Amino acid sequence: MASAGFDQLSLKEKIGQLFMCGFEGAEPSAEIEALVTEYGIGGIIYFRRNLRDAKQVEALSSKLQELSATPLFIAIDQEGGMVVRLEDGVTVMPGAMAQGAANDPDLTREAAKLSGAELRGIGINMNFAPCLDVNNNPLNPVIGVRSYGENPALAARMGIAAIKGYGEGGISAVAKHFPGHGDTSADSHHELPVVPHAVDRLNAVELAPFREAIAQGVDAIMTAHVVFPAFEPDRVPATLSRRILTGLLREQLGYSGVIVTDCLEMNAISETIGVARGAVEAVKAGADLVLVSHRFVRQTTALEAVHEAVLTGEIPLSRIEQSAKRIWALKQLRGLFGGVKPQADAVRAERVRNELSEAAVTVVKGKEALPLSKAGRTLVVWTEARVATEVVEVIEQSWTLGAALKARGYLVQELRVGLNPTAEEAEAARSAAAGSDTVVFASYDACFSESQTALIRELASDTSYAFAWAAMRTPYDLLQAPEAPIYICCYENKPAMMTALAGVLAGDIRMRAKQPVTIGRYPLP
């Protein structure tokens, strides 16, 4: 990989630096090769479709860098918990809300440093994390446990710890989703959400974590495809709004780092203004790095649309120069032109992951009824995702709560149901519960599923056995059946968290987490 000097870049190459693209497959496709060699794009984004294990990712990253005349950003959404792209060969740390419940900034910083070093060791140099969204809307379908919690100070404190840790691990952290996606009830993957609050409220809540991150020198900030009428009276989404990206973020908040768009192929952009026009408007608004993750035709037309806009004078050449220089400077700062890789420490990373998981399990109600007795038969109803969405990934999981309880000496029968249990699955759960001494229901976003909620209510109302409920994702599931005797939040169903949950249920691990969000009549501590 030859590192051409910035001044030697052509206009087309400078425009290319402003684009980050994705591709299909675990090897460089013909399309991504063309984007790198012909258009000179500045970055690549990996998804699960590209990744098998750490060794394969390291080889893939090397091949992509060898194709490019200039160093590439290689990015990933490795937030931790329920939003990760790679699990085989790296340590999956708990997600943001779990870390918010643990509330240990030093441990969060170390987790990010260790995770960052592992990623950098396999060629990934940018992580689209942490989420600085303040999640104060129980109906939010897209952020939820990706946020540290509903308290802006907590989100700021934990987010800054993660940002510092990623930097120490050798990768650029990207704080998201500016100005804040936490108080939405729509998913920008599918539609255009609106946050209707006044400026004073937005300053006090949504902007607070970003303001702190800017003060700490965060490498990059990702935009939200969300409308903020208080900042943008023309109701242009933040990603395309000059008032927000330049007026608010650059001028009012004083941010001088790289601004990254969320993917322009999300419906909030692609099904409204369109990807190509969206790229032009995002650059005009002040974005530096434009993310087009999926389709080659959309990627090339977006690149060409920006080029044409410069040639016609719609986008000043100086606007391209500003962004390209910021991107170049960040690549230099993070050692993309050469430098020593941080040392990964898998043993320490595993220890930190386990410690965070144990500190995160949150007993919201029913502490006095724990530990669960090991006498008799325990039924675990395990809810699993079987249909993938932009937010939910389908992952085969063998180390479930049932397996973790068995390892602690419980006599366990585990019954698996879907996110929307069928009549047959519900009947099987009722039948199995009838012959059990203890029933533990492991829910997954029950607040978005009527049939899952109905099954929980029915099982919780039966007093012939002890009943405990553990929420595997959103902590707000309790709102659907507040009479349940024992309710525990885990924020994720990853193996380390299931081990920690089993330890809490068995009385082997001390209950010390504090809930990071209000859940009905259970307020923040």
Side-chain angles (χ1 to χ4, degrees), residues 69-325:
T70 62
L72 292 164
F73 281 134
I74 297 183
I76 192 171
D77 290 282
Q78 193 80 356
E79 297 176 16
M82 301 307 292
V83 180
V84 292
R85 306 304 187 208
L86 178 65
E87 296 182 76
D88 191 344
V90 297
T91 306
V92 176
M93 294 296 177
M97 195 167 283
Q99 294 194 37
N103 195 13
D104 187 332
D106 291 338
L107 209 53
T108 285
R109 183 171 179 167
E110 187 174 10
K113 178 181 177 179
L114 292 162
S115 181
E118 289 184 348
L119 294 174
R120 187 63 188 265
I122 57 176
I124 295 167
N125 49 48
M126 177 175 277
N127 192 11
F128 290 144
C131 284
L132 296 188
D133 306 296
V134 180
N135 199 88
N136 43 31
N137 187 336
L139 297 177
N140 193 320
V142 65
I143 302 301
V145 295
R146 301 167 66 194
S147 161
Y148 290 105
E150 72 178 47
N151 185 305
L154 174 68
R157 182 168 65 251
M158 304 304 289
I160 288 166
I163 288 164
K164 289 180 176 178
Y166 284 128
E168 291 163 352
I171 65 174
S172 287
V174 181
K176 59 188 186 185
H177 304 80
F178 184 85
H181 207 322
D183 196 3
T184 61
S185 56
D187 182 351
S188 52
H189 291 92
H190 304 295
E191 55 188 302
L192 185 57
V194 177
V195 174
H197 301 300
V199 170
D200 287 350
R201 146 62 196 256
L202 293 169
N203 273 320
V205 178
E206 277 75 12
L207 293 184
F210 290 101
R211 192 179 293 110
E212 291 295 322
I214 290 166
Q216 295 294 326
V218 64
D219 282 4
I221 290 176
M222 178 179 280
T223 66
H225 302 330
V226 177
V227 172
F228 292 81
F231 296 137
E232 177 50 88
D234 293 335
R235 301 179 75 85
V236 175
T239 296
L240 311 180
S241 169
R242 182 171 176 80
R243 288 186 178 107
I244 292 177
L245 299 193
T246 297
L248 176 62
L249 184 51
R250 292 279 186 221
E251 296 170 359
Q252 290 185 41
L253 299 181
Y255 181 58
S256 59
V258 171
I259 298 175
V260 186
T261 74
D262 208 340
C263 180
L264 297 189
E265 291 190 78
M266 292 162 63
N267 284 0
I269 302 298
S270 65
E271 300 302 313
T272 55
I273 192 172
V275 174
R277 190 65 213 166
V280 172
E281 294 298 328
V283 173
K284 287 167 63 178
D288 300 307
L289 192 56
V290 176
L291 185 57
V292 189
S293 302
H294 302 289
R295 303 180 195 178
F296 182 65
V297 171
R298 286 178 168 180
Q299 292 162 341
T300 55
T301 54
L303 280 152
E304 288 161 5
V306 171
H307 196 177
E308 180 65 20
V310 175
L311 296 180
T312 62
E314 183 181 4
I315 297 178
L317 177 59
S318 60
R319 177 76 275 284
I320 300 298
E321 291 274 346
Q322 287 171 351
S323 289
K325 285 178 180 177

